[in-house]
C-alpha cells in the first residue's frame, strides 16, 4: 500500500483494510475502529474533528490520508418524496443515486459502475455504454452522501434502512470494489445493516453469484425477464454465456447456503414481448421448486427505446397466473417518475468507452 505520494482515500477501506492501513503506518489497529465510527456514525470528513485521536495522529493522517466522498452535482425531489442525486467522481463521470421513502422503510438504490457493458436491450443504462468501474469509496460514498443529505436519522429512526445495488452497472463485474462496499454496509462500525436489508442485483453472472455466496452474506436479486433461453437472449445478451439452467443451479446453491433465504427474481414486463399468459405459466414451472420471490416491474420507457410498457390489465393477469401457480409475486410500484428516477431510467454522465451510444445514434438516424 503506497501511502507516501498520493493520499489514500479512507472511504476505499473496509474494516480489514483499515486495520491493515493503520498497522502499515505504525499505529495500533484499533484506531481503525475509532476512525470508521467517525466516518460512518458521525459523518465526519475532517481529521481535526476526531477528538479521541491525538493531535500528532491527526496531523499524520492529514499528511497520509483523506476522506473524499463524491460530489453532489444535482439534487431532485419527486412529488412522491423520492429523491435523486447526480453524484460526480471527477473526469466527467457521474452516476445517479435514488432514495425511495416508504412508511416503514427507506431504500437507497446505488450504482456500481459508470454505465454498463452488458447491453440489455430494454435498459437505458445499457444504451449509454460503459465508462469504468467505481471504487469501494465511490460506491459507499453514495450511501455516505445520501445519509448526510437526508439527515441520518429522523425522530430517532434511521432514514436509510435498506440498500439495493440496482442502479447503474453490473455489480458482479466489479466484484472486489463491490464486496468492500457491501462489507461496510453490513459492518456495525459502518452502516450496520442486516444481511436481508442489503440486496445485490445481477443480470445473471453465474461465476460471480457463486463467488459472492462464498464471500459475504447479502440478499440476492436476479434479473430474469424471460422463462426460456431464446427469449432471454434477446433481452439479456449475457444469457448466451450463462443460460437459464446454469443460472438456476447457481441460485439454488446460493439459497441453500444462506439458510434458506430466497432469491428475488426481477421480471420487467414489456408489451407483447414477455408478458403473455404462456410466459407466466412457463415461469411458474421454472421457479416452482426454487425458494423465490418474483418482482414484476412494469417497463419504464426511455428516449429511443422500441419497447412499451405492458397494459395494466395484462400485468394483473400475469400476476394472477403466477400467484395461482404458487409463486409469491409483487408488482413494483413505479416511483419518482416525474424526475426520471425509475428503474432503467438512470443516466448519469457516462464517457462511453465502448462507442455504444454513438453506434446507437447512427443506427437510429439510418432507420
Ligand atoms: N445489472 C444489474 C443491476 C442494475 S438493473 C441487474 O441487471 O440486475 C436493476 C433492475 O432494473 C434490473 O432488474 C433491470 O432489469 C431493471 N430495469 C432495467 N431497465 C429497465 C426499464 N427500462 N424498465 C424497468 N426495469 C428496468
Amino acid at each position: 500500500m503506497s501511502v507516501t505520494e498520493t493520499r489514500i482515500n479512507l472511504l476505499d477501506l473496509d474494516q480489514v483494510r483499515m486495520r491493515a492501513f493503520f498497522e502499515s503506518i505504525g499505529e495500533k489497529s484499533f484506531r481503525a475502529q475509532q476512525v470508521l465510527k467517525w466516518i460512518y456514525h458521525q459523518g465526519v470528513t475532517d481529521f481535526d474533528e476526531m477528538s479521541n485521536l491525538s493531535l500528532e495522529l491527526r496531523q499524520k493522517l492529514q499528511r497520509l490520508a483523506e476522506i473524499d466522498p463524491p460530489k453532489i452535482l444535482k439534487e431532485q425531489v419527486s412529488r412522491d418524496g423520492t429523491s435523486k442525486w447526480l453524484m460526480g467522481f471527477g473526469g466527467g463521470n457521474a452516476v445517479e443515486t435514488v432514495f425511495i421513502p416508504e412508511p416503514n422503510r427507506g431504500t437507497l438504490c446505488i450504482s456500481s459502475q459508470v454505465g454498463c457493458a452488458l447491453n440489455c436491450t430494454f435498459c437505458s443504462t445499457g444504451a449509454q455504454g460503459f465508462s469504468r468501474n467505481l471504487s469501494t469509496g465511490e460506491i459507499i460514498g453514495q450511501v455516505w452522501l445520501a445519509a448526510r443529505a437526508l439527515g441520518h436519522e429522523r425522530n430517532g429512526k434511521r432514514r436509510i434502512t435498506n440498500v439495493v445495488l440496482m442502479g447503474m452497472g453490473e455489480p458482479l463485474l466489479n466484484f472486489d470494489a463491490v464486496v468492500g462496499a457491501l462489507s461496510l454496509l453490513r459492518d456495525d462500525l459502518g452502516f450496520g445493516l442486516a444481511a436481508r436489508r442489503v440486496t445485490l442485483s445481477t443480470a445473471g453472472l453465474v461465476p460471480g453469484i457463486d463467488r459472492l455466496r462464498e464471500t459475504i452474506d447479502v440478499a440476492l436479486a436476479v434479473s430474469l425477464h424471460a422463462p426460456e433461453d431464446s427469449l432471454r437472449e434477446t433481452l439479456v445478451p449475457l444469457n448466451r454465456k450463462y443460460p437459464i439452467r446454469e443460472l438456476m443451479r447457481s441460485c439454488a446453491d446460493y439459497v441453500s447456503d444462506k439458510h434458506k433465504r430466497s432469491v428475488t427474481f426481477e421480471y420487467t414486463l414489456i408489451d407483447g414481448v414477455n408478458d403473455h399468459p404462456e410466459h407466466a405459466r412457463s415461469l411458474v414451472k421454472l421457479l416452482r421448486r426454487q425458494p423465490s420471490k418474483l418482482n414484476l416491474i412494469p417497463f419504464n420507457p426511455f428516449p429511443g427505446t422500441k419497447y412499451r410498457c405492458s397494459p395494466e390489465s395484462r400485468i394483473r393477469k400475469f400476476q394472477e397466473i403466477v400467484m395461482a401457480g404458487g409463486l409469491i409475486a409483487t408488482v413494483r410500484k413505479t416511483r419518482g417518475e416525474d424526475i426520471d428516477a425509475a428503474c432503467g431510467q438512470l443516466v448519469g454522465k457516462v464517457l462511453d468507452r465502448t462507442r455504444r451510444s454513438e453506434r446507437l445514434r447512427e443506427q437510429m438516424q439510418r432507420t
Side-chain angles (χ1 to χ4, degrees):
M1 197 181 296
S2 162
V3 289
T4 42
E5 281 136 34
T6 41
R7 288 190 294 168
I8 187 162
N9 184 3
L10 297 189
L11 291 177
D12 278 324
L13 309 182
D14 60 9
Q15 189 181 155
V16 172
R17 291 192 176 90
M18 189 78 90
R19 285 181 190 281
F21 164 73
F22 276 99
E23 279 167 14
S24 77
I25 63 167
E27 297 290 334
K28 294 266 186 333
S29 66
F30 77 88
R31 296 290 177 203
Q33 207 163 322
Q34 293 175 313
V35 170
L36 282 165
K37 279 191 186 165
W38 280 113
I39 299 175
Y40 296 105
H41 296 185
Q42 310 294 332
V44 163
T45 52
D46 184 350
F47 294 116
D48 272 339
E49 287 178 45
M50 302 187 179
S51 52
N52 54 359
L53 307 184
S54 69
L55 178 62
E56 199 193 336
L57 177 55
R58 280 183 270 147
Q59 285 171 343
K60 187 170 176 183
L61 286 174
Q62 258 146 11
R63 265 195 330 275
L64 301 175
E66 61 187 347
I67 297 159
D68 185 24
K71 310 276 173 295
I72 292 185
L73 303 180
K74 192 171 168 189
E75 176 167 14
Q76 284 168 281
V77 182
S78 158
R79 281 192 296 272
D80 67 16
T82 301
S83 301
K84 182 172 88 166
W85 299 274
L86 181 67
M87 299 198 183
F89 309 106
N93 284 305
V95 298
E96 289 180 326
T97 302
V98 179
F99 177 69
I100 305 151
E102 286 173 291
N104 295 317
R105 65 174 170 193
T107 305
L108 190 73
C109 177
I110 62 174
S111 299
S112 56
Q113 300 180 313
V114 186
C116 187
L118 290 185
N119 204 11
C120 298
T121 51
F122 57 93
C123 177
S124 75
T125 306
Q128 292 170 83
F130 176 70
S131 175
R132 68 167 174 84
N133 279 333
L134 295 180
S135 65
T136 291
E138 290 168 334
I139 300 168
I140 203 69
Q142 296 166 54
V143 188
W144 188 91
L145 268 186
R148 247 188 38 165
L150 292 165
H152 197 45
E153 292 188 354
R154 179 174 278 182
N155 307 328
K157 273 205 202 144
R158 279 188 173 205
R159 301 214 56 201
I160 300 171
T161 61
N162 294 59
V163 174
V164 294
L165 269 100
M166 289 186 191
M168 294 168 83
E170 168 49 48
L172 294 178
L173 284 176
N174 183 14
F175 194 88
D176 293 338
V178 162
V179 165
L182 293 175
S183 147
L184 285 162
L185 287 169
R186 298 283 334 274
D187 194 338
D188 284 339
L189 298 173
F191 289 100
L193 298 176
R196 68 193 160 81
R197 294 188 178 275
V198 179
T199 303
L200 180 146
S201 178
T202 175
L205 202 82
V206 168
I209 298 173
D210 293 343
R211 212 174 141 202
L212 185 72
R213 186 188 78 228
E214 290 160 4
T215 311
I216 193 164
D217 194 5
V218 293
L220 180 68
V222 172
S223 294
L224 191 59
H225 309 308
E228 41 90 15
D229 285 323
S230 57
L231 176 59
R232 190 163 189 267
E233 275 171 20
T234 67
L235 298 171
V236 183
L238 184 70
N239 193 79
R240 278 187 221 120
K241 206 158 175 192
Y242 305 111
I244 293 178
R245 241 168 75 105
E246 278 180 47
L247 181 58
M248 289 300 139
R249 191 278 304 152
S250 173
C251 291
D253 286 354
Y254 195 88
V255 171
S256 66
D257 238 43
K258 300 295 177 198
H259 320 292
K260 298 203 170 56
R261 191 166 298 141
S262 66
V263 172
T264 300
F265 289 98
E266 294 154 286
Y267 195 106
T268 298
L269 286 161
I270 308 171
D271 185 21
V273 173
N274 63 356
D275 61 349
H276 196 270
E278 197 48 48
H279 295 123
R281 285 190 282 271
S282 306
L283 201 56
V284 170
K285 282 197 201 115
L286 182 69
L287 299 181
R288 218 173 13 203
R289 275 180 293 276
Q290 169 91 23
S292 60
K293 280 183 245 158
L294 186 63
N295 199 340
L296 301 171
I297 313 171
F299 172 71
N300 290 307
F302 52 88
T305 181
K306 60 180 177 192
Y307 297 126
R308 283 185 314 265
C309 180
S310 307
E312 174 80 28
S313 58
R314 214 171 313 136
I315 297 176
R316 289 292 152 214
K317 181 82 195 151
F318 199 97
Q319 187 185 23
E320 265 170 43
I321 297 173
V322 290
M323 288 184 67
L327 305 185
I328 304 166
T330 51
V331 178
R332 188 179 291 175
K333 254 201 341 232
T334 295
R335 297 285 304 259
E337 235 173 339
D338 52 325
I339 56 168
D340 287 338
C343 305
Q345 292 187 318
L346 302 186
V347 287
K349 277 192 192 154
V350 181
L351 287 177
D352 180 16
R353 298 189 199 285
T354 59
R355 285 196 64 245
R356 184 172 300 136
S357 42
E358 215 176 303
R359 286 199 304 270
L360 275 176
R361 255 198 316 278
E362 284 164 11
Q363 228 171 5
M364 276 164 59
Q365 275 162 4
R366 278 201 300 274
T367 51

